[in-house]
Amino acid sequence: MTQTPREKPIHVPMDQFRSEAGELLVGGIPLERLATRIGQTPFYAYDRSLLTQRANALRAALPDGIKLHYAMKANPMPAVVQHMAKLVDGIDVASARELQVALDSGADPREISFAGPGKRHDELRQAVAAGILINIESFREVAELGAIRQATGWPVRVAVRVNPDFELKSSGMKMGGGPKQFGVDAEQVPDLLAEIGKQGLAFEGFHLFAGSQNLRPEAIVEAQRKSFELALKLAEHAPSPVRFLNLGGGFGIPYFPGEQRLDITSIADNLAAIQREAAAKMPDAEIVIELGRYLVGEAGIYVCKVVDRKVSRGHTYLVTDGGLHHHLSASGNFGQVIRKNYPVCIGNRMGQPADDAVSVVGPLCTPLDLLADRMELPHAQPGDYVVVYQSGAYGATASPRGFLSHPDLVEVLV
Ligand SMILES: *Cc1c(COP(=O)(O)O)cnc(C)c1O
């Protein structure tokens, strides 16, 4: 047996961003010009035309009638949420503060839903007052919402977030199956539904979210099919017909060498099949998928500046003014088991030969502050721009920005 030599896996080309005269373009603006306009590095820049393109392409691929929601915790920048609100059918929020941003964006409260374990009493009251859909995740929430209904007389719109009895296979982050703090175990849902009826809450449907960052369409197809079947079973116990069925999402984007962009053809076909079956078995139900990262992740970059270039025992370090405190996930410390490099470029040396093996680090006094480990990049000097791609989701607000008290980042939508 001969073994074919395995090629080193590489990053999928980041061809959503163009470059011109050696400079990366963001929203058509050359990077240096943009940085000057912003007045500082580090910054995150999100390209609005890429946000629009992604949402429109997804809608074109999905069957008509499938509702698309934006899970705004992926990127809650108000300008981004406002832009997304025009492109999707609804917004999913995870806190009362996100709710305010969603309402400010002009999203219809009827199309806003609220999920998250540990919703506080004041948050529940705010949600009821806003008239949004609350995804219930515990018996306590039912009791508190019953009391809020009694006290205010306002309708309380609810769906049940179900912790399914299966897991999303090969998901980056599992959020359903087994014991979980999210949702209510499928086997407890019939009792919860009875309680919802007793409290006079307006039951609208089910929410199932099995996990995040999945790049295997067959796993997503299977999770959505199983979610639908579970919802059909649970609907037998519901106090009223299901009008809203949120099948989650979990669509991933390629971050690491060897990963490919998700092909959503089979997912769209499967949703069409579910839709046909739902028309017969759950005729009042609107089917929703909710996505965060897939909608916004590829449209954003993180940009920092090289401050120093050092050689230590033969290894070259580019020390930048940005790092882990702004971009925890690129440093590998946000859920990764084995650290791998995000795609990175030198934004003012596009097209130059990548023949310099370097590590890109930040200014923090910790070895965890690593943006790229032993990567081949064009030869960079102080003043050059390090760009981290795939940074539109879980960046600025998912990072410990106070850690070491360095200057804060800026976010722009271009
Ligand atoms: C975080 C979250 C999402 C978004 O996940 P992505 O991987 O960003 O698409 C969707 N739904 C719920 C309930 C979530 O908690």
Side-chain angles (χ1 to χ4, degrees):
M1 289 262 295
T2 53
Q3 277 211 318
T4 40
R6 268 210 285 163
E7 292 204 11
K8 210 170 136 208
I10 55 166
H11 285 109
V12 72
M14 292 290 111
D15 47 15
Q16 69 271 39
F17 288 97
R18 290 183 305 115
S19 60
E20 196 179 271
E23 267 193 272
L24 193 72
L25 300 177
V26 190
I29 306 174
L31 192 61
E32 171 95 52
R33 183 87 181 244
L34 179 65
T36 307
R37 188 190 100 176
I38 293 169
Q40 75 159 74
T41 52
F43 61 85
Y44 279 91
Y46 314 117
D47 185 324
R48 72 176 84 227
S49 68
L50 292 178
L51 294 172
T52 305
Q53 267 172 38
R54 174 51 67 95
N56 289 347
L58 181 60
R59 305 205 74 131
L62 292 175
D64 285 345
I66 297 284
K67 300 283 175 183
L68 177 61
H69 280 201
Y70 173 48
M72 67 171 275
K73 79 167 188 289
N75 188 329
M77 183 198 186
V80 168
V81 177
Q82 213 162 10
H83 186 77
M84 295 308 294
K86 291 187 285 219
L87 300 170
V88 297
D89 301 299
I91 308 277
D92 292 320
V93 304
S95 68
R97 197 156 142 217
E98 284 194 357
L99 172 59
Q100 299 299 356
V101 174
L103 291 167
D104 286 346
S105 78
D108 184 343
R110 283 173 302 187
E111 307 295 340
I112 297 177
S113 55
F114 180 14
K119 300 180 198 73
R120 298 183 310 277
H121 190 78
D122 55 326
E123 288 182 300
L124 291 170
R125 278 180 70 90
Q126 285 172 267
V128 171
I132 64 163
L133 181 70
I134 300 164
N135 291 319
I136 288 190
E137 313 213 14
S138 76
F139 283 86
R140 176 200 55 98
E141 289 183 356
V142 178
E144 293 200 14
L145 288 168
I148 292 167
R149 191 187 80 85
Q150 285 282 328
T152 63
W154 298 327
V156 177
R157 302 176 51 220
V158 299
V160 175
R161 180 167 181 186
V162 182
N163 176 23
D165 41 14
F166 56 85
E167 289 191 339
L168 179 52
K169 282 182 200 147
S170 57
S171 159
M173 236 179 252
K174 287 188 180 34
M175 293 180 63
K180 287 282 178 304
Q181 72 266 49
F182 309 109
V184 175
D185 293 352
E187 51 279 23
Q188 295 181 35
V189 169
D191 287 346
L192 188 89
L193 288 166
E195 206 49 41
I196 286 172
K198 256 189 250 164
Q199 295 282 359
L201 310 183
F203 170 80
E204 297 199 2
F206 296 107
H207 173 216
L208 295 105
F209 181 72
S212 183
Q213 180 51 20
N214 203 308
L215 288 170
R216 286 183 50 216
E218 63 280 12
I220 295 172
V221 161
E222 187 186 317
Q224 291 186 332
R225 159 98 348 229
K226 284 181 169 173
S227 296
F228 175 60
E229 278 159 17
L230 179 57
L232 283 177
K233 266 197 281 174
L234 296 173
E236 293 167 16
H237 304 272
S240 57
V242 173
R243 292 169 46 196
F244 169 92
L245 179 57
N246 185 334
L247 293 177
F251 298 13
I253 60 171
Y255 287 107
F256 306 125
E259 293 182 343
Q260 300 298 318
R261 288 198 168 83
L262 182 69
D263 178 357
I264 60 167
T265 320
S266 59
I267 300 171
D269 290 347
N270 181 58
L271 285 169
I274 288 175
Q275 209 177 21
R276 281 192 298 274
E277 210 175 318
K281 297 181 181 162
M282 212 182 243
D284 301 307
E286 184 164 85
I287 295 172
V288 180
I289 60 166
E290 55 176 9
L291 301 173
R293 178 193 322 269
Y294 184 81
L295 289 172
V296 297
E298 299 211 51
I301 55 173
Y302 173 67
V303 181
C304 53
K305 206 175 238 184
V306 178
V307 172
D308 211 340
R309 183 187 167 97
K310 298 170 58 164
V311 179
S312 166
R313 308 219 160 98
H315 192 80
T316 303
Y317 291 89
L318 299 178
V319 188
T320 69
D321 59 1
L324 166 156
H325 52 312
H326 296 159
H327 203 331
L328 187 65
S329 46
S331 77
N333 296 292
F334 191 63
Q336 287 100 308
V337 181
I338 300 165
R339 193 196 173 284
K340 294 181 193 144
N341 288 329
Y342 269 46
V344 166
C345 72
I346 305 299
N348 55 316
R349 297 185 185 274
M350 302 302 290
Q352 293 185 15
D355 53 8
D356 196 20
V358 297
S359 289
V360 180
V361 300
L364 306 190
C365 290
T366 160
L368 300 178
D369 190 8
L370 186 60
L371 289 175
D373 186 26
R374 295 157 202 268
M375 223 176 172
E376 304 272 332
L377 292 171
H379 189 97
Q381 294 293 342
D384 284 345
Y385 295 97
V386 170
V387 173
V388 182
Y389 291 107
Q390 305 299 74
S391 297
Y394 305 109
T397 58
S399 300
R401 285 156 72 169
F403 189 37
L404 270 92
S405 306
H406 282 286
D408 201 6
L409 56 87
V410 171
E411 290 179 278
V412 291
L413 175 63
V414 189

